[in-house]
PDB file of all heavy atoms in Angstrom:
ATOM      1  N   PHE B 280    -103.161  47.095 -45.717  1.00 97.00           N
ATOM      2  CA  PHE B 280    -102.779  47.835 -46.922  1.00 97.00           C
ATOM      3  C   PHE B 280    -102.223  46.877 -47.977  1.00 97.00           C
ATOM      4  O   PHE B 280    -102.640  46.884 -49.134  1.00 97.00           O
ATOM      5  CB  PHE B 280    -101.733  48.895 -46.545  1.00 97.00           C
ATOM      6  CG  PHE B 280    -101.432  49.875 -47.637  1.00 97.00           C
ATOM      7  CD1 PHE B 280    -102.042  51.113 -47.656  1.00 97.00           C
ATOM      8  CD2 PHE B 280    -100.539  49.566 -48.651  1.00 97.00           C
ATOM      9  CE1 PHE B 280    -101.777  52.031 -48.666  1.00 97.00           C
ATOM     10  CE2 PHE B 280    -100.269  50.465 -49.676  1.00 97.00           C
ATOM     11  CZ  PHE B 280    -100.892  51.700 -49.679  1.00 97.00           C
ATOM     12  N   GLN B 281    -101.285  46.045 -47.544  1.00 97.00           N
ATOM     13  CA  GLN B 281    -100.603  45.169 -48.493  1.00 97.00           C
ATOM     14  C   GLN B 281    -101.461  43.981 -48.931  1.00 97.00           C
ATOM     15  O   GLN B 281    -101.433  43.582 -50.095  1.00 97.00           O
ATOM     16  CB  GLN B 281     -99.286  44.673 -47.881  1.00 97.00           C
ATOM     17  CG  GLN B 281     -98.289  45.828 -47.662  1.00 97.00           C
ATOM     18  CD  GLN B 281     -97.003  45.377 -47.012  1.00 97.00           C
ATOM     19  OE1 GLN B 281     -96.992  44.408 -46.258  1.00 97.00           O
ATOM     20  NE2 GLN B 281     -95.909  46.100 -47.258  1.00 97.00           N
ATOM     21  N   LEU B 285    -104.394  47.329 -51.417  1.00 98.00           N
ATOM     22  CA  LEU B 285    -103.666  47.464 -52.683  1.00 98.00           C
ATOM     23  C   LEU B 285    -104.176  46.464 -53.729  1.00 98.00           C
ATOM     24  O   LEU B 285    -104.455  46.854 -54.874  1.00 98.00           O
ATOM     25  CB  LEU B 285    -102.162  47.324 -52.431  1.00 98.00           C
ATOM     26  CG  LEU B 285    -101.273  47.814 -53.554  1.00 98.00           C
ATOM     27  CD1 LEU B 285    -100.188  48.758 -53.030  1.00 98.00           C
ATOM     28  CD2 LEU B 285    -100.648  46.648 -54.277  1.00 98.00           C
ATOM     29  N   LYS B 296     -98.924  49.644 -62.292  1.00 97.00           N
ATOM     30  CA  LYS B 296     -98.533  48.886 -61.106  1.00 97.00           C
ATOM     31  C   LYS B 296     -97.058  48.965 -60.757  1.00 97.00           C
ATOM     32  O   LYS B 296     -96.602  48.298 -59.832  1.00 97.00           O
ATOM     33  CB  LYS B 296     -98.962  47.419 -61.275  1.00 97.00           C
ATOM     34  CG  LYS B 296    -100.477  47.274 -61.391  1.00 97.00           C
ATOM     35  CD  LYS B 296    -100.922  45.836 -61.553  1.00 97.00           C
ATOM     36  CE  LYS B 296    -102.436  45.787 -61.765  1.00 97.00           C
ATOM     37  NZ  LYS B 296    -102.939  44.437 -61.996  1.00 97.00           N
ATOM     38  N   ASP B 297     -96.305  49.783 -61.492  1.00 97.00           N
ATOM     39  CA  ASP B 297     -94.894  49.922 -61.142  1.00 97.00           C
ATOM     40  C   ASP B 297     -94.744  50.955 -60.033  1.00 97.00           C
ATOM     41  O   ASP B 297     -95.605  51.824 -59.857  1.00 97.00           O
ATOM     42  CB  ASP B 297     -94.096  50.352 -62.367  1.00 97.00           C
ATOM     43  CG  ASP B 297     -94.566  51.704 -62.886  1.00 97.00           C
ATOM     44  OD1 ASP B 297     -95.746  51.795 -63.323  1.00 97.00           O
ATOM     45  OD2 ASP B 297     -93.803  52.682 -62.819  1.00 97.00           O
ATOM     46  N   LYS B 298     -93.643  50.870 -59.293  1.00 96.00           N
ATOM     47  CA  LYS B 298     -93.499  51.737 -58.123  1.00 96.00           C
ATOM     48  C   LYS B 298     -93.410  53.214 -58.492  1.00 96.00           C
ATOM     49  O   LYS B 298     -93.805  54.081 -57.721  1.00 96.00           O
ATOM     50  CB  LYS B 298     -92.303  51.297 -57.267  1.00 96.00           C
ATOM     51  CG  LYS B 298     -90.956  51.871 -57.679  1.00 96.00           C
ATOM     52  CD  LYS B 298     -89.890  51.606 -56.638  1.00 96.00           C
ATOM     53  CE  LYS B 298     -88.514  51.987 -57.188  1.00 96.00           C
ATOM     54  NZ  LYS B 298     -88.426  53.342 -57.749  1.00 96.00           N
ATOM     55  N   ASN B 299     -92.931  53.509 -59.686  1.00 97.00           N
ATOM     56  CA  ASN B 299     -92.853  54.919 -60.085  1.00 97.00           C
ATOM     57  C   ASN B 299     -94.210  55.517 -60.442  1.00 97.00           C
ATOM     58  O   ASN B 299     -94.331  56.717 -60.661  1.00 97.00           O
ATOM     59  CB  ASN B 299     -91.880  55.097 -61.249  1.00 97.00           C
ATOM     60  CG  ASN B 299     -90.442  54.932 -60.774  1.00 97.00           C
ATOM     61  OD1 ASN B 299     -90.175  54.986 -59.572  1.00 97.00           O
ATOM     62  ND2 ASN B 299     -89.519  54.726 -61.712  1.00 97.00           N
ATOM     63  N   ARG B 301     -96.681  54.866 -58.274  1.00 98.00           N
ATOM     64  CA  ARG B 301     -97.377  54.677 -57.000  1.00 98.00           C
ATOM     65  C   ARG B 301     -96.781  55.623 -55.964  1.00 98.00           C
ATOM     66  O   ARG B 301     -95.578  55.559 -55.684  1.00 98.00           O
ATOM     67  CB  ARG B 301     -97.244  53.223 -56.564  1.00 98.00           C
ATOM     68  CG  ARG B 301     -98.348  52.769 -55.633  1.00 98.00           C
ATOM     69  CD  ARG B 301     -98.107  51.369 -55.124  1.00 98.00           C
ATOM     70  NE  ARG B 301     -98.404  50.301 -56.070  1.00 98.00           N
ATOM     71  CZ  ARG B 301     -97.605  49.263 -56.312  1.00 98.00           C
ATOM     72  NH1 ARG B 301     -96.440  49.155 -55.697  1.00 98.00           N
ATOM     73  NH2 ARG B 301     -97.952  48.330 -57.172  1.00 98.00           N
ATOM     74  N   ALA B 302     -97.636  56.505 -55.425  1.00 98.00           N
ATOM     75  CA  ALA B 302     -97.197  57.469 -54.416  1.00 98.00           C
ATOM     76  C   ALA B 302     -97.959  57.240 -53.127  1.00 98.00           C
ATOM     77  O   ALA B 302     -99.054  56.674 -53.125  1.00 98.00           O
ATOM     78  CB  ALA B 302     -97.439  58.890 -54.906  1.00 98.00           C
ATOM     79  N   LEU B 316     -94.564  53.112 -44.106  1.00 96.00           N
ATOM     80  CA  LEU B 316     -94.819  52.249 -45.267  1.00 96.00           C
ATOM     81  C   LEU B 316     -93.891  52.607 -46.425  1.00 96.00           C
ATOM     82  O   LEU B 316     -93.377  51.728 -47.116  1.00 96.00           O
ATOM     83  CB  LEU B 316     -96.273  52.386 -45.737  1.00 96.00           C
ATOM     84  CG  LEU B 316     -97.370  51.760 -44.875  1.00 96.00           C
ATOM     85  CD1 LEU B 316     -98.733  51.990 -45.518  1.00 96.00           C
ATOM     86  CD2 LEU B 316     -97.141  50.257 -44.713  1.00 96.00           C
ATOM     87  N   GLY B 317     -93.691  53.899 -46.632  1.00 96.00           N
ATOM     88  CA  GLY B 317     -92.971  54.353 -47.816  1.00 96.00           C
ATOM     89  C   GLY B 317     -91.487  54.047 -47.768  1.00 96.00           C
ATOM     90  O   GLY B 317     -90.883  53.712 -48.798  1.00 96.00           O
ATOM     91  N   ASN B 320     -90.518  49.825 -47.597  1.00 92.00           N
ATOM     92  CA  ASN B 320     -90.949  48.934 -48.683  1.00 92.00           C
ATOM     93  C   ASN B 320     -90.416  49.477 -50.008  1.00 92.00           C
ATOM     94  O   ASN B 320     -91.153  50.053 -50.801  1.00 92.00           O
ATOM     95  CB  ASN B 320     -92.481  48.854 -48.712  1.00 92.00           C
ATOM     96  CG  ASN B 320     -93.035  48.233 -47.452  1.00 92.00           C
ATOM     97  OD1 ASN B 320     -92.940  47.036 -47.245  1.00 92.00           O
ATOM     98  ND2 ASN B 320     -93.578  49.063 -46.571  1.00 92.00           N
ATOM     99  N   PRO B 321     -89.105  49.261 -50.225  1.00 85.00           N
ATOM    100  CA  PRO B 321     -88.420  49.913 -51.349  1.00 85.00           C
ATOM    101  C   PRO B 321     -89.025  49.620 -52.715  1.00 85.00           C
ATOM    102  O   PRO B 321     -88.873  50.411 -53.639  1.00 85.00           O
ATOM    103  CB  PRO B 321     -86.993  49.356 -51.269  1.00 85.00           C
ATOM    104  CG  PRO B 321     -86.847  48.825 -49.888  1.00 85.00           C
ATOM    105  CD  PRO B 321     -88.214  48.398 -49.448  1.00 85.00           C
ATOM    106  N   ASP B 322     -89.713  48.482 -52.857  1.00 92.00           N
ATOM    107  CA  ASP B 322     -90.254  48.142 -54.171  1.00 92.00           C
ATOM    108  C   ASP B 322     -91.646  48.708 -54.403  1.00 92.00           C
ATOM    109  O   ASP B 322     -92.197  48.592 -55.489  1.00 92.00           O
ATOM    110  CB  ASP B 322     -90.336  46.611 -54.333  1.00 92.00           C
ATOM    111  CG  ASP B 322     -88.973  45.980 -54.211  1.00 92.00           C
ATOM    112  OD1 ASP B 322     -87.979  46.658 -54.558  1.00 92.00           O
ATOM    113  OD2 ASP B 322     -88.908  44.825 -53.752  1.00 92.00           O
ATOM    114  N   MET B 323     -92.215  49.302 -53.370  1.00 96.00           N
ATOM    115  CA  MET B 323     -93.634  49.627 -53.457  1.00 96.00           C
ATOM    116  C   MET B 323     -93.929  51.043 -53.934  1.00 96.00           C
ATOM    117  O   MET B 323     -94.824  51.259 -54.741  1.00 96.00           O
ATOM    118  CB  MET B 323     -94.292  49.375 -52.100  1.00 96.00           C
ATOM    119  CG  MET B 323     -95.796  49.196 -52.217  1.00 96.00           C
ATOM    120  SD  MET B 323     -96.578  48.832 -50.643  1.00 96.00           S
ATOM    121  CE  MET B 323     -96.074  47.145 -50.417  1.00 96.00           C
ATOM    122  N   PHE B 324     -93.177  52.019 -53.419  1.00 97.00           N
ATOM    123  CA  PHE B 324     -93.495  53.413 -53.719  1.00 97.00           C
ATOM    124  C   PHE B 324     -92.295  54.162 -54.309  1.00 97.00           C
ATOM    125  O   PHE B 324     -91.174  54.031 -53.823  1.00 97.00           O
ATOM    126  CB  PHE B 324     -93.930  54.157 -52.447  1.00 97.00           C
ATOM    127  CG  PHE B 324     -95.120  53.547 -51.774  1.00 97.00           C
ATOM    128  CD1 PHE B 324     -94.964  52.735 -50.653  1.00 97.00           C
ATOM    129  CD2 PHE B 324     -96.398  53.771 -52.261  1.00 97.00           C
ATOM    130  CE1 PHE B 324     -96.065  52.157 -50.036  1.00 97.00           C
ATOM    131  CE2 PHE B 324     -97.506  53.195 -51.654  1.00 97.00           C
ATOM    132  CZ  PHE B 324     -97.332  52.387 -50.531  1.00 97.00           C
ATOM    133  N   GLY B 325     -92.566  54.965 -55.317  1.00 97.00           N
ATOM    134  CA  GLY B 325     -91.542  55.833 -55.873  1.00 97.00           C
ATOM    135  C   GLY B 325     -91.628  57.251 -55.332  1.00 97.00           C
ATOM    136  O   GLY B 325     -90.726  58.060 -55.553  1.00 97.00           O
ATOM    137  N   GLN B 356     -84.493  54.497 -54.913  1.00 93.00           N
ATOM    138  CA  GLN B 356     -85.908  54.117 -54.897  1.00 93.00           C
ATOM    139  C   GLN B 356     -86.818  55.312 -55.162  1.00 93.00           C
ATOM    140  O   GLN B 356     -87.766  55.225 -55.947  1.00 93.00           O
ATOM    141  CB  GLN B 356     -86.267  53.516 -53.521  1.00 93.00           C
ATOM    142  CG  GLN B 356     -87.772  53.328 -53.281  1.00 93.00           C
ATOM    143  CD  GLN B 356     -88.143  53.282 -51.789  1.00 93.00           C
ATOM    144  OE1 GLN B 356     -87.291  53.161 -50.909  1.00 93.00           O
ATOM    145  NE2 GLN B 356     -89.424  53.385 -51.511  1.00 93.00           N
TER     146      GLN B 356
END
Side-chain angles (χ1 to χ4, degrees):
Chain B
F280 190 98
Q281 295 178 331
L285 196 130
K296 297 180 184 177
D297 62 296
K298 86 169 171 52
N299 287 344
R301 204 185 283 134
L316 287 181
N320 296 286
D322 300 331
M323 201 178 286
F324 302 101
Q356 169 203 347

